[in-house]
Amino acid sequence: MHKKQHFKIQEFIQRKQNLLHKLGDKKGIILLFAGFEQSGLKFKQESSFYYFTGINEPACVWMSDFTGNTTLFTPNCPARAHWISGAIDPENFKAQDFAFDEVKHLGEPTKNYEFYPFFTAQEYSNLLAVIDNTIKSGGKIFTLKPNNQYEYFEQRFILERIATFIPNFYEALVDISNEVAQLRRTKSTAEIELLYRAVDITIMGHEAAIGIIEPGKYEFDVQAGIEYVFTASAAGLAFPSIVGSGKNSTVLHYADNLKQLEKDDLVVVDIGAQYGHYCGDLTRTYPVSGKFTKRQKEIYNLVLDTQEYIENIAKPGMWLSNKDNPEQSLNHLSKEFLKERGYDKYFLHGLGHFVGLDVHDVGNYSEPLKSGDIITIEPGIYIAAESIGVRIEDNYLVAGDGLVCLSEHLLKKADDVEELMQEKKLVSEEPRD
Ligand code: GLY
Ligand code: MN
């Protein structure tokens, strides 16, 4: 198999079959599009395309008919193999290496070694012919085209491009993003193992942060230590690392990481390793001096109490967030918990989200929690006037009649956090022989 694979081929075959099964007997084809490379950035595969194909190459297209026949279309860039490892060559296609029945080029060869979303009709001639024939024979194109502002924008752009070549293309499109989200939401054993690994690496990032945080260091020193650990663990970043100290601890997605750490600051460290495409997302809040002030500890414990309260009541059948059923909505219950203590107005974001191939993973929030979901629980209190921001976030598997915390080894009781910071101080103060 080209490049490192984290799953058995059979898992990708099964996922494609699950989608066909969910869609039922339809006339037409399923088409899913890989992402494109972008100058200056490491290529990151589009998550739903990866989920079904395991292919980490840009500009590919997966096509399936409703008898289950699958084709992978690949870019036709003869020069590509000189530039980039892993280019898939249809001439040397070996069925046992791929979860596809056949591999074909998208169209005519290009002189470039990369493909771009502004492709020509010639470069996509084979694919365009299949789409054209499907539509002419009354079939539909089942693809990712949700009716919202934030999902699958690259894929929707590709659809627009194809529509410039094929009349009636838009009329033939059927959105399958809900079905795909339902499948991606429930994690398999192999996925849970990768999520555990991503979480473990993220925990090591926090341990590195604890070793670095002290007055005089900069937020970027902490970031560097964290990202060294991620890189040395063959992991990438699930999202830009947040290291926010003092006032910056109250800015939810602060990622400048430029300020010097001061003695009385709190520092919010919200980080995630991405390993084998799966994301961790863990937040801790540390006192720079190694000891919380009385006021900081009061706020810290309120946040921790909120998280523990939710952890204990959460179970399948409740919702992460559901306005119509607040009694069973963890988001509403957490806000209620803080309201009774006078702090709800400082809790400025939602309680949690699904995690998986994307850090804010797909999954329909209007459906209740069920076994196989992976979620975060991340309450926070942000009081800008006092430069006090506290967020505590862990990752959980919904299983049995409750939750399993994937990140339970990362300590969070105020005393434990202080002890970890003190131990590190003692180690760094030990004379060297
Ligand atoms: N860890 C960043 C977020 O959940 O938004
Ligand atoms: Mn999060």
Side-chain angles (χ1 to χ4, degrees):
M1 186 73 218
H2 75 294
K3 296 200 176 164
K4 184 173 162 80
Q5 284 296 321
H6 296 283
F7 296 96
K8 296 205 167 73
I9 284 290
Q10 187 55 35
E11 181 143 354
F12 296 110
I13 294 172
Q14 187 63 49
R15 290 175 187 176
K16 293 199 198 77
Q17 284 171 356
N18 292 346
L19 180 61
L20 281 173
H21 189 249
K22 218 175 212 336
L23 293 173
D25 193 19
K26 296 278 178 352
K27 189 168 160 54
I29 52 173
I30 298 169
L31 276 189
L32 256 65
F33 299 87
F36 286 93
E37 288 158 319
Q38 285 180 49
S39 171
L41 294 178
K42 188 168 157 51
F43 173 65
K44 185 175 179 313
Q45 185 59 284
E46 197 285 310
S47 296
S48 291
F49 185 86
Y50 179 78
Y51 178 78
F52 289 107
T53 66
I55 300 287
N56 201 25
E57 283 285 293
C60 293
V61 180
W62 160 40
M63 182 187 82
S64 201
D65 65 21
F66 282 85
T67 68
N69 251 315
T70 56
T71 305
L72 179 71
F73 288 95
T74 65
N76 192 351
C77 304
R80 187 171 169 79
H82 298 300
W83 292 85
I84 286 150
S85 71
I88 299 169
D89 173 10
E91 306 250 308
N92 293 312
F93 166 62
K94 291 195 202 69
Q96 70 271 20
D97 289 346
F98 290 92
F100 293 94
D101 298 308
E102 60 173 349
V103 176
K104 280 189 190 168
H105 276 137
L106 282 160
E108 306 293 315
T110 167
K111 285 207 283 295
N112 300 325
Y113 67 90
E114 291 176 330
F115 256 31
Y116 301 94
F118 298 99
F119 48 81
T120 64
Q122 290 74 32
E123 287 165 339
Y124 270 50
S125 55
N126 296 338
L127 178 67
L128 294 176
V130 173
I131 296 173
D132 206 29
N133 287 337
T134 304
I135 296 175
K136 282 192 177 129
S137 60
K140 297 283 184 196
I141 311 293
F142 295 80
T143 191
L144 299 166
K145 190 187 161 294
N147 189 17
N148 64 38
Q149 293 186 319
Y150 52 90
E151 279 184 309
Y152 297 118
F153 48 86
E154 205 177 20
Q155 284 61 40
R156 286 151 71 178
F157 181 84
I158 298 166
L159 298 175
E160 280 196 15
R161 184 73 182 160
I162 293 175
T164 63
F165 303 124
I166 297 192
N168 310 329
F169 182 59
Y170 265 101
E171 291 77 62
L173 296 182
V174 180
D175 175 42
I176 57 168
S177 57
N178 274 335
E179 288 84 354
V180 169
Q182 279 173 349
L183 291 172
R184 277 180 53 187
R185 177 174 158 175
T186 305
K187 271 64 178 182
S188 69
T189 308
E191 289 182 289
I192 292 166
E193 278 171 18
L194 284 172
L195 282 154
Y196 257 116
R197 179 75 188 131
V199 164
D200 283 346
I201 297 168
T202 309
I203 290 175
M204 293 195 296
H206 271 283
E207 289 164 352
I210 291 168
I212 294 165
I213 292 169
E214 64 182 19
K217 287 276 166 49
Y218 283 80
E219 292 166 347
F220 53 71
D221 290 319
V222 181
Q223 178 190 353
I226 292 163
E227 295 181 7
Y228 174 88
V229 168
F230 288 2
T231 309
S233 308
L237 296 181
F239 55 90
S241 304
I242 297 169
V243 181
S245 62
K247 186 96 166 211
N248 299 334
S249 67
T250 67
V251 180
L252 305 181
H253 276 179
Y254 171 82
D256 292 345
N257 301 350
L258 290 172
K259 185 179 117 51
Q260 195 168 28
L261 307 182
E262 291 172 49
K263 176 167 74 54
D264 292 327
D265 286 347
L266 285 177
V267 52
V268 168
V269 176
D270 182 349
I271 55 172
Q274 188 171 34
Y275 181 81
H277 296 255
Y278 286 79
C279 298
D281 184 7
L282 304 177
T283 310
R284 290 289 182 268
T285 304
Y286 302 104
V288 169
S289 68
K291 256 196 135 19
F292 293 103
T293 65
K294 192 157 168 280
R295 174 68 172 153
Q296 287 170 348
K297 196 179 251 185
E298 179 191 15
I299 302 300
Y300 186 92
N301 283 334
L302 263 175
V303 174
L304 189 57
D305 289 349
T306 310
Q307 197 201 36
E308 282 179 350
Y309 163 67
I310 296 295
E311 256 177 36
N312 289 330
I313 59 168
K315 57 174 192 240
M318 296 180 90
W319 279 263
L320 256 181
S321 183
N322 182 345
K323 282 194 192 60
D324 300 326
N325 195 350
E327 309 284 280
Q328 294 291 313
S329 160
L330 298 175
N331 188 44
H332 290 79
L333 291 166
S334 67
K335 303 238 148 126
E336 209 50 44
F337 185 89
L338 282 174
K339 188 171 184 182
E340 281 161 20
R341 289 153 182 81
Y343 281 90
D344 58 312
K345 72 168 184 224
Y346 300 106
F347 183 8
L348 304 176
H349 51 77
L351 177 71
H353 51 87
F354 297 109
V355 188
L357 287 167
D358 293 311
V359 65
H360 291 180
D361 209 33
V362 291
N364 191 337
Y365 286 78
S366 69
E367 287 171 14
L369 292 173
K370 57 177 192 282
S371 274
D373 287 342
I374 302 272
I375 59 167
T376 68
I377 299 179
E378 50 176 311
I381 292 179
Y382 309 92
I383 311 174
E386 296 181 51
S387 291
I388 291 183
V390 174
R391 178 160 67 252
I392 301 172
E393 174 179 31
D394 287 272
N395 302 158
Y396 305 82
L397 166 69
V398 181
D401 59 358
L403 303 182
V404 177
C405 182
L406 306 186
S407 41
E408 65 178 358
H409 298 305
L410 186 56
L411 300 180
K412 56 189 167 185
K413 288 209 180 321
D415 290 350
D416 289 335
V417 170
E418 288 183 342
E419 203 172 307
L420 286 172
M421 306 284 293
Q422 302 298 329
E423 273 171 18
K424 164 282 298 245
K425 248 193 178 154
L426 289 178
V427 172
S428 67
E429 281 165 13
E430 259 173 28
R432 289 171 191 239
D433 321 312

